[in-house]
Amino acid sequence: MKQNKIRTREEVLKDFENKGVSIRSWALENGLPPSIVRLVLRGKLTGRIGKSHKAAVMLGLKNGEIS
């Protein structure tokens, strides 16, 4: 399986800014609670399990599988 380049939280936030996308709108479009996505992007949640894991993988902050 091909692994994508891991991005930093700063890179993800810059990408959102460049595209004019809010964290809330991205989260809702991807079926995630905005609060979880914010906490992952702030580094308060590591994305180890559950919805924070899904958010971290979808944002490109870590490699992993979404089941």
Side-chain angles (χ1 to χ4, degrees), residues 1-65:
M1 175 180 4
K2 181 184 173 191
Q3 299 292 321
N4 294 327
K5 178 189 175 290
I6 301 296
R7 301 190 310 166
T8 65
R9 294 189 310 270
E10 293 79 16
E11 288 172 330
V12 173
L13 289 169
K14 188 67 173 172
D15 190 40
F16 281 4
E17 182 182 332
N18 289 339
K19 293 177 179 175
V21 175
S22 70
I23 294 170
R24 177 179 171 76
S25 67
W26 184 90
L28 295 174
E29 286 175 17
N30 288 281
L32 294 165
S35 59
I36 297 289
V37 175
R38 280 190 200 94
L39 290 171
V40 168
L41 287 171
R42 289 181 186 154
K44 302 293 183 186
L45 290 176
T46 60
R48 195 173 74 78
I49 59 173
K51 291 180 183 177
S52 66
H53 168 80
K54 183 177 179 180
V57 172
M58 292 178 77
L59 290 164
L61 298 173
K62 67 180 261 186
N63 287 320
E65 294 182 23

